Amino acid sequence: MSSEKNKAPLGVFDSGVGGLTVAREIAREMPCEEMVYLGDTARLPYGSKSPDTVRRFALEDADFLMSRGVKAIVVACNTATAFALPILQREMPVPVIGVLDAGVEAALQSTRNGRLGLIGTVGTVASQAYQKELKRRSPNIHVVARATPLLVPLIEEGWLDHPATKLVLKEYLESFLEQDVDTLLLACTHYPLLKPVISSILGEGVSLVDSSTTCALHLRRIMEEKNMVATRVARGKMDIYLTDQTENFESLARCIVPGEIRKISAAALVSRAF
Ligand code: DGL
């Protein structure tokens, strides 16, 4: 791979703002990389859509990133990873990395009693993608999975520490305390933003695991193996593209990745027949 190609940006996409938690870890791990982030805010949520629709959206998102000249694509959306990773890896001419492997690895490293909780969108939980991979790697693991669909709208609203969010979380998390899990896997890009509230409900005995850090480490390893790491010395910046531009997104984005954003622009995606 030529050094010209190494200068190309990394592409990251999600249905909305949540994937910026992954982009933030990538920026920490590989500060010299330029990044293009696509948030498909016009079509959020993906978590309640059918597998075929999520696959089509994911392909269109990846096509858009390819049109910006990215050298690799990170699927920073758990629902899109659960439904579309294999097709993206087949169809895209660059490495495509999802968040599932990273989350599974981090969760298995964290649990001491082999009892794991998992929360995600309706699509992610119903796909069984996480549950199957956890069992494949650790057959005796006990997994308690619960879809928590009310959390994404609350987060997109910026209600990270709002009494309504606490109330909803208490209801959702009760069963994990009853089931004696010692680790909760946050299988949704948005949920790391709720870590402080979730911890205050579950207490110190339950470790919270998300895929963002491990995903950034995976990405760096793959980029190093393929000799695709940017060699510049200056810090990279992030260009954010949105299919619908809202004030909420912009203020949340600036809160999650302060100082990293070069510009926020509108994105027009090209439809795919599927
Ligand atoms: N990005 C999605 C995920 O990680 C959550 C938001 C949505 O439902 O689109 O599953």
Side-chain angles (χ1 to χ4, degrees):
M1 170 109 0
S2 75
S3 60
E4 258 325 288
K5 184 76 183 165
N6 290 14
K7 286 185 197 148
L10 294 167
V12 180
F13 80 83
D14 180 35
S15 51
V17 71
L20 283 173
T21 57
V22 177
R24 174 175 63 190
E25 293 309 316
I26 295 172
R28 276 195 194 131
E29 202 52 47
M30 290 179 282
C32 296
E33 300 287 348
E34 292 284 320
M35 248 188 278
V36 178
Y37 182 92
L38 171 67
D40 190 8
T41 39
R43 300 191 292 193
L44 176 116
Y46 283 12
S48 53
K49 307 275 187 321
S50 70
D52 273 355
T53 298
V54 175
R55 279 192 272 272
R56 179 164 57 80
F57 288 178
L59 283 165
E60 290 167 3
D61 296 339
D63 285 345
F64 175 82
L65 291 175
M66 287 309 303
S67 77
R68 313 308 306 172
V70 300
K71 62 182 172 185
I73 293 175
V74 177
V75 187
C77 172
N78 291 258
T79 313
T81 298
F83 287 132
L85 189 65
I87 194 167
L88 290 169
Q89 287 176 329
R90 268 199 314 275
E91 295 224 359
M92 295 299 135
V94 296
V96 182
I97 294 135
V99 279
L100 186 144
D101 279 341
V104 164
E105 188 184 311
L108 291 177
Q109 270 168 14
S110 159
T111 183
R112 294 284 161 263
N113 70 0
R115 299 179 68 82
L116 275 181
L118 181 152
I119 54 176
T121 65
V122 171
T124 298
V125 171
S127 77
Q128 296 275 328
Y130 274 93
Q131 295 93 313
K132 281 187 192 147
E133 188 56 19
L134 284 161
K135 287 264 176 206
R136 193 185 67 77
R137 291 202 206 178
S138 179
N140 293 328
I141 202 87
H142 179 75
V143 186
V144 184
R146 172 146 203 198
T148 48
L150 295 176
L151 298 183
V152 168
L154 290 165
I155 296 164
E156 295 278 332
E157 191 59 32
W159 286 14
L160 303 184
D161 194 25
H162 191 282
T165 310
K166 281 187 193 155
L167 203 67
V168 168
L169 272 170
K170 273 194 187 140
E171 179 75 32
Y172 278 149
L173 298 177
E174 206 172 332
S175 51
F176 296 108
L177 288 169
E178 285 160 10
Q179 297 263 353
D180 192 28
V181 305
D182 73 349
T183 298
L184 181 69
L185 173 52
L186 310 179
C188 173
T189 38
H190 287 55
Y191 301 171
L193 299 169
L194 294 178
K195 267 184 178 171
V197 194
I198 297 177
S199 283
S200 73
I201 295 169
L202 291 181
E204 281 175 7
V206 180
S207 308
L208 303 184
V209 165
D210 72 79
S211 42
S212 54
T213 321
T214 330
C215 178
L217 290 171
H218 276 196
L219 176 66
R220 196 183 71 188
R221 202 172 59 223
I222 290 167
M223 292 294 98
E224 282 170 355
E225 274 166 18
K226 295 185 181 293
N227 192 22
M228 287 170 79
V229 177
T231 45
R232 73 175 75 72
V233 258
R235 207 181 158 78
K237 285 274 185 189
M238 195 184 301
D239 290 339
I240 297 185
Y241 290 89
L242 303 174
T243 50
D244 185 34
Q245 253 168 303
T246 61
E247 257 176 48
N248 266 358
F249 183 98
E250 294 212 18
S251 48
L252 253 182
R254 292 195 191 280
C255 179
I256 302 169
V257 280
E260 311 278 355
I261 304 169
R262 182 187 291 119
K263 60 172 183 174
I264 302 184
S265 334
L269 305 187
V270 179
S271 334
R272 276 233 186 187
F274 187 73

